[in-house]
Amino acid sequence: MQLLFADQPGPHFDLGGEILLPEVLSQFSKRNYHRQKAHLILYAIRARARDARVSSPKLDSYKQLVGQPDLATAVSPTSREMLALAEHLNLELSPARGFCSSSEDWLAFRTDKSPRLENFYRRQRVRLDVLMEGQEPSGGQWNFDHENRKPAPKGGLGLQHFEIVEDDLDQEVRETLDGLVAQGKASFIGLDGPRKFAGTREQALAALSHFIDHQLDAFGPYEDAVFDGEWVLAHSMLSAPMNLGLLDPMEVVRAVEASYLNGSASIQSAEGFIRQVIGWRDYVWHLYWEYGEQYLESNFLQATNPLPDSWSDLDSSLIEANCISKTINNVSENAWTHHIQRLMILGNVALQRGYDPRAVNDWLVDAFVDGTPWVMPANAIGMSLFADGGRMSTKPYAAGGAYINRMSNYCGGCKFDPRIRVGEKACPITAGYWNFLAKNEAKLSGNQRMWQSLAGLRRLSDIDLVVDHESKRQSL
Ligand SMILES: Cc1cc2nc3c(=O)[nH]c(=O)nc-3n(C[C@H](O)[C@H](O)[C@H](O)COP(=O)(O)OP(=O)(O)OC[C@H]3O[C@@H](n4cnc5c(N)ncnc54)[C@H](O)[C@@H]3O)c2cc1C
Ligand code: SF4
């Protein structure tokens, strides 16, 4: 009998025989998860358990699986915790699925002279023969990033994103979660539904088709845009069904490639999207295993500030800065924001304000519907917080309010002014940027890529005032 982990309900994890998919509600007591995340996971388990080959006992703990006589196989799980369990149970493990490269492909890549994302991505394109014309990349370039940085037009993109119609199972799941809360067995953050993300294979395929038909062509140019009033824009919302094991990333990639080949999507959109999946997604997956548990303790910038309550409780009413408040509100309402809100608003603020990297990592895993132990370390500890001192990214992703003002429509509705560094209207992102550079100048001065930013810092005549003002700022 195959042990199926909760993030393996899709057909690509099915080894063909009898399946055991346990429902372990005590997992929700461990931390304060977003309500919609708990809902989606439980919905997906129960929907998969409707298959006649699947039995789904309700267990208090995974430990109860010890001694189950028929349990023999599993597909390698996605976390160190579940791998330890599988090994403890002496299961015969088949190699991990749900990614576009194997650990052997990764090892071969790691012998490369420059093991950065761009090289990994190009190797993946060639090896998988995706968007290739012979040995040359389709469209004559590997990368169309410079064409993919447009802010949204004044009225927004006006695209329809995929929407779920809830069913009876949602109601049943809601009652179970309400029961856990009433019994004091779980405490959730964020607003309850309606559910926004696919929880069955059918829903996931419908979400993929919707993205291809209605959003993909706009994905490239508006990949980095942020727009108050349109929380999805042209993003796919497919990280959740992929990370939950409902969609195989290669089927997503082939569908996007087909859309380019039949003329429905431009090369810059198809390439921009495929880079995220065969490039970034696989890259952070392999780094999870390569960097190991210790990576979570990295703290190069010695950042020790706790997360503010407004973040831990997802209470946007406590936040004055419009960009941060709206982003935290998006997380509360949807358990999701798109990449630029994660990296350039939440990540940027956490970096500037010196929030403890481990706390940020864990909060992101718990608060985001697509958050998993494997996806977060490289994205949070590495890319967003530079806590690894540059092992993963070559420089910190720090930016001031000018960037937010260029890429979003948040600043117009804000009590602060992105151009101002000191005083009542001083933008906490702009002042926070200079304050961050001033405080970490010694640690960053050896980094070639920070040279220009640090030269800018040294030209600021009012930097002492900025640092003093930011040290007294009560809230953001
Ligand atoms: C601080 C921070 C936290 C993040 N947390 C998560 C997370 O919890 N789960 C998650 O899957 N991604 C995470 N990402 C990466 C990225 O932001 C999300 O994958 C994306 O926003 C999900 O929305 P989407 O499916 O609409 O993506 P799209 O914009 O439509 O992108 C397509 C796909 O590319 C993949 N992808 C793109 N960038 C990355 C990346 N950096 N790492 C891994 N996959 C990537 C995802 O599978 C995504 O579905 C995080 C990034 C940062 C900077
Ligand atoms: S002015 Fe500053 S704080 Fe306000 S929305 Fe713009 S960047 Fe954010």
Side-chain angles (χ1 to χ4, degrees):
M1 183 182 268
Q2 176 187 357
L3 174 63
L4 200 70
F5 294 95
D7 58 356
Q8 300 182 334
H12 49 305
F13 293 102
D14 192 338
L15 299 178
E18 294 292 302
I19 287 176
L20 187 89
L21 173 59
E23 184 179 306
V24 188
L25 291 178
S26 60
Q27 289 294 99
F28 297 137
S29 323
K30 289 188 174 169
R31 307 229 291 250
N32 289 353
Y33 293 105
H34 198 297
R35 168 79 189 220
Q36 292 182 46
K37 181 189 182 100
H39 184 123
L40 181 65
I41 293 171
L42 191 54
Y43 180 96
I45 291 175
R46 289 188 177 171
R48 184 69 179 89
R50 287 174 168 172
D51 180 338
R53 277 188 300 123
V54 178
S55 51
S56 187
K58 293 187 176 19
L59 305 182
D60 292 331
S61 148
Y62 280 109
K63 285 189 193 134
Q64 287 174 272
L65 292 173
V66 179
Q68 280 262 355
D70 302 335
L71 220 44
T73 58
V75 173
S76 251
T78 57
S79 71
R80 282 181 280 273
E81 189 189 354
M82 289 300 144
L83 182 61
L85 170 76
E87 287 171 351
H88 187 62
L89 295 172
N90 272 325
L91 300 180
E92 184 193 324
L93 289 180
S94 39
R97 301 179 183 187
F99 294 91
C100 309
S101 51
S102 64
S103 50
E104 288 77 23
D105 296 327
W106 178 254
L107 282 179
F109 159 69
R110 272 315 215 184
T111 58
D112 201 312
K113 279 190 197 128
S114 172
R116 294 280 176 200
L117 178 273
E118 185 61 29
N119 288 347
F120 176 68
Y121 167 63
R122 290 184 190 189
R123 283 176 80 120
Q124 292 271 80
R125 287 268 296 271
V126 174
R127 193 178 57 76
L128 298 164
D129 194 19
V130 179
L131 292 184
M132 295 296 295
E133 284 162 25
Q135 291 306 301
E136 296 303 313
S138 302
Q141 284 168 229
W142 291 102
N143 180 322
F144 293 84
D145 262 4
H146 57 282
E147 292 173 41
N148 286 356
R149 289 182 189 143
K150 282 191 183 169
K154 271 202 161 49
L157 297 185
L159 299 173
Q160 182 65 42
H161 61 79
F162 179 69
E163 286 186 29
I164 292 283
V165 179
E166 287 202 355
D167 56 28
D168 293 350
L169 187 52
D170 284 288
Q171 198 43 39
E172 188 191 307
V173 165
R174 199 158 273 128
E175 282 162 20
T176 304
L177 296 180
D178 285 344
L180 290 180
V181 174
Q183 293 160 38
K185 290 185 178 165
S187 171
F188 298 109
I189 53 172
L191 301 180
D192 185 8
R195 180 164 58 89
K196 324 272 183 332
F197 294 87
T200 65
R201 173 77 180 155
E202 293 68 31
Q203 292 165 8
L205 288 172
L208 172 59
S209 297
H210 181 98
F211 170 65
I212 301 276
D213 293 345
H214 301 284
Q215 293 162 289
L216 172 60
D217 195 38
F219 177 87
Y222 300 110
E223 202 177 335
D224 287 358
V226 182
F227 195 79
D228 188 11
E230 288 186 23
W231 61 282
V232 179
L233 291 163
H235 293 275
S236 68
M237 303 169 81
L238 294 177
S239 54
M242 279 194 276
N243 296 359
L244 199 54
L246 290 165
L247 285 178
D248 186 334
M250 273 318 290
E251 71 183 327
V252 175
V253 167
R254 292 296 177 205
V256 170
E257 184 186 36
S259 184
Y260 162 67
L261 292 173
N262 72 24
S264 308
S266 66
I267 184 66
Q268 54 267 49
S269 285
E271 188 282 319
F273 185 85
I274 285 174
R275 159 189 303 270
Q276 310 303 318
V277 180
I278 65 171
W280 279 111
R281 186 172 183 274
D282 269 41
Y283 194 68
V284 306
W285 157 250
H286 291 298
L287 288 182
Y288 169 74
W289 295 105
E290 182 175 311
Y291 287 171
E293 184 75 27
Q294 275 306 103
Y295 187 70
L296 286 168
E297 306 311 323
S298 312
N299 200 348
F300 173 69
L301 299 174
Q302 289 166 328
T304 53
N305 289 329
L307 285 188
D309 292 346
S310 53
W311 288 36
S312 319
D313 302 339
L314 296 180
D315 185 352
S316 60
S317 70
L318 302 172
I319 307 171
E320 292 180 307
N322 198 33
C323 54
I324 314 174
S325 174
K326 291 281 167 58
T327 300
I328 290 289
N329 191 50
N330 282 167
V331 183
S332 178
E333 285 184 352
N334 309 311
W336 183 95
T337 68
H338 68 69
H339 185 65
I340 293 301
Q341 286 174 291
R342 298 187 201 204
L343 182 64
M344 301 310 289
I345 298 182
L346 299 175
N348 189 22
V349 170
L351 173 74
Q352 292 182 1
R353 302 285 151 185
Y355 297 162
D356 176 70
R358 179 68 197 251
V360 175
N361 182 88
D362 293 355
W363 174 77
L364 287 162
V365 172
D366 299 346
F368 280 76
V369 75
D370 52 356
T372 64
W374 63 264
V375 83
M376 215 53 88
N379 274 307
I381 306 276
M383 187 166 16
S384 302
L385 303 176
F386 204 66
D388 63 359
R391 200 168 164 193
M392 194 221 157
S393 293
T394 48
K395 72 184 244 267
Y397 274 91
Y403 176 84
I404 313 266
N405 195 24
R406 188 165 63 249
M407 295 311 298
S408 80
N409 59 347
Y410 284 141
C411 298
C414 186
K415 66 176 275 195
F416 302 114
D417 184 327
R419 293 162 303 179
I420 298 182
R421 297 190 285 269
V422 186
E424 229 175 80
K425 287 185 81 65
C427 163
I429 309 282
T430 299
Y433 171 75
W434 295 116
N435 183 44
F436 164 76
L437 289 182
K439 288 197 156 160
N440 294 290
E441 186 179 359
K443 286 206 168 70
L444 299 175
S445 59
N447 185 323
Q448 290 286 325
R449 295 199 62 205
M450 291 306 288
W451 185 86
Q452 229 180 344
S453 309
L454 293 175
L457 171 74
R458 289 172 201 129
R459 281 195 300 272
L460 284 193
S461 53
D462 60 356
I463 187 62
D464 291 342
L465 281 177
V466 174
V467 171
D468 182 57
H469 187 262
E470 289 312 300
S471 72
K472 292 179 183 144
R473 198 186 276 275
Q474 296 292 320
S475 61
L476 293 177

